[in-house]
Amino acid sequence: MLNGIRSVSTALGSGLLRVHHSCRGLLDELPGYAWPEEATARGEDKPIKCHDHSCDGLRYVIHSTAHVRRQVSDVLKDSG
């Protein structure tokens, strides 16, 4: 799960991923995607599992297709 969260964070932070305004469920969930302070204090690295279905779907799609995006990126680099 953490690798998927990192993949989404990297894609959003680098501008490779943008969320369309029509994705209301995801846009509503993203600000609430957080880690419980108690778990973080214990060294546990896991988000709060509440109202996160869209975030989970985004994480799954981004992380499970990372190899395809890398291949496309490599092809584009080689052709340019």
Side-chain angles (χ1 to χ4, degrees):
M1 175 175 25
L2 293 177
N3 287 335
I5 292 169
R6 287 185 190 105
S7 294
V8 170
S9 178
T10 298
L12 285 168
S14 68
L16 291 174
L17 174 65
R18 293 184 225 165
V19 180
H20 193 268
H21 65 87
S22 66
C23 299
R24 290 299 338 150
L26 179 59
L27 291 170
D28 289 345
E29 288 177 14
L30 281 172
Y33 203 69
W35 282 253
E37 291 181 26
E38 310 82 44
T40 302
R42 290 191 303 267
E44 297 175 17
D45 202 5
K46 61 181 181 180
I48 297 169
K49 296 300 295 169
C50 183
H51 306 293
D52 64 347
H53 296 301
S54 296
C55 290
D56 283 348
L58 175 63
R59 177 176 48 82
Y60 177 78
V61 129
I62 293 298
H63 192 65
S64 66
T65 60
H67 65 285
V68 174
R69 286 182 283 112
R70 278 191 221 93
Q71 289 173 349
V72 168
S73 178
D74 289 346
V75 167
L76 293 175
K77 285 179 190 173
D78 291 343
S79 67

